[in-house]
Amino acid sequence: MEKKMSVNEIIEKTRLGRAINQAYVEQTVADFLFQPAESVYPVSQRNQSDLKCEIEEMKMLFGAGKNSRTFSEMVRAYYREEEDWVEDYREMDLYYGMLLPSVGQGIHPYYQLNLRDYLEPVGMEEDYCKWFRADDEMYANKHGGKGATIHSVLKGCVNIISDTRFIYPACRLYLPDGAGVPDPEQMPFFRKGTNGDRYVTLASEWLWLLLVKAQYRWSDLLEEKGIVVPG
């Protein structure tokens, strides 16, 4: 049972854009991971036949079987727990595919979860500190103290990838120490300039952590707790 919060704690969490209770975060993630992809995909102004084709393409990109229906199943088909990088290079087609559900007008509540609320329960505090914290603090300074959401990061990824104007493989050699620290002149969760290879690779790292590694761990955690939404 969660500890009952005081009024001041509730006010502070609200000010920071954090969830008031962990149960809400768990249920929101479960509703996203375990529902059929068609149910959580933003379908506003989309042709249903186009939507079906995009979901089938996502399954193919993740290496998931045709009978896979949920994001949890797709992530499980792709994730390799022993190594975050499957190869030295990441083909960016996969990462374009992962961004598809995050764009459009009908954003699922999952994308509005606070980064720390999403990463900390599944033991990804170190990932947060290395890859997200500096941008998150910059984001909070620009938004009255409220931290970034999953959607905030993915929107930046869209901008980074779009800014390069072409697709090329992301290479982990382009991620030296400190790659997750933004230049003070940059916007949070966005990079622009001559280091296109490095920035695209950074975007792929953010995508991997949020939409593969974290989803994989959340799937395990929620199933252990029995919080599974039937598809």
Side-chain angles (χ1 to χ4, degrees):
M1 181 178 293
E2 291 189 38
K3 175 186 174 182
K4 187 174 181 180
M5 289 190 294
S6 67
V7 172
N8 286 338
E9 287 174 321
I10 292 173
I11 292 173
E12 179 65 7
K13 285 218 169 202
T14 302
R15 184 184 71 82
L16 297 176
R18 302 290 300 273
I20 293 176
N21 62 71
Q22 182 63 21
Y24 170 78
V25 178
E26 292 176 353
Q27 194 60 56
T28 299
V29 177
D31 287 342
F32 181 85
L33 287 180
F34 299 124
Q35 288 280 5
E38 294 87 344
S39 298
V40 298
Y41 210 93
V43 297
S44 299
Q45 301 179 355
R46 286 184 179 273
N47 182 294
Q48 288 295 321
S49 61
D50 291 342
L51 171 64
K52 182 177 180 181
C53 289
E54 288 181 355
I55 292 174
E56 290 303 316
E57 181 179 355
M58 286 183 64
K59 292 178 182 179
M60 180 183 70
L61 289 170
F62 275 95
K66 290 185 178 180
N67 293 328
S68 299
R69 303 180 63 208
T70 67
F71 285 102
S72 176
E73 289 172 319
M74 285 188 271
V75 165
R76 287 184 182 282
Y78 180 71
Y79 184 70
R80 303 292 184 273
E81 187 168 12
E82 70 277 7
E83 185 179 10
D84 282 0
W85 288 85
V86 178
E87 301 289 349
D88 286 345
Y89 291 88
R90 289 172 172 165
E91 294 297 334
M92 289 306 296
D93 283 351
L94 174 66
Y95 294 92
Y96 276 104
M98 287 197 293
L99 278 172
L100 285 175
S102 68
V103 297
Q105 298 179 0
I107 300 298
H108 190 278
Y110 164 85
Y111 293 105
Q112 302 304 323
L113 291 174
N114 175 276
L115 278 181
R116 292 180 62 188
D117 287 341
Y118 178 61
L119 295 174
E120 290 177 356
V122 289
M124 292 179 63
E125 295 92 342
E126 185 176 340
D127 292 307
Y128 170 80
C129 289
K130 182 175 182 179
W131 296 110
F132 300 101
R133 183 172 65 184
D135 283 271
D136 193 21
E137 290 174 350
M138 180 186 287
Y139 183 95
N141 286 337
K142 294 177 179 293
H143 292 83
K146 287 191 175 182
T149 63
I150 296 172
H151 182 252
S152 304
V153 183
L154 300 186
K155 182 179 179 182
C157 292
V158 170
N159 291 334
I160 289 172
I161 295 172
S162 298
D163 189 61
T164 65
R165 296 186 174 85
F166 62 95
I167 304 175
Y168 45 81
C171 176
R172 60 179 167 183
L173 295 177
Y174 298 149
L175 282 179
D177 289 342
V181 179
D183 185 294
E185 300 301 318
Q186 300 273 15
M187 295 294 292
F189 299 110
F190 180 53
R191 305 289 191 274
K192 185 180 179 70
T194 58
N195 293 319
D197 292 352
R198 174 174 170 178
Y199 298 153
V200 167
T201 304
L202 177 61
S204 79
E205 187 69 18
W206 286 338
L207 286 164
W208 166 271
L209 293 170
L210 294 181
L211 302 184
V212 181
K213 184 175 180 178
Q215 285 191 15
Y216 185 92
R217 291 193 175 192
W218 268 107
S219 294
D220 283 349
L221 176 65
L222 294 170
E223 289 184 354
E224 286 174 5
K225 289 190 170 189
I227 307 173
V228 177
V229 179

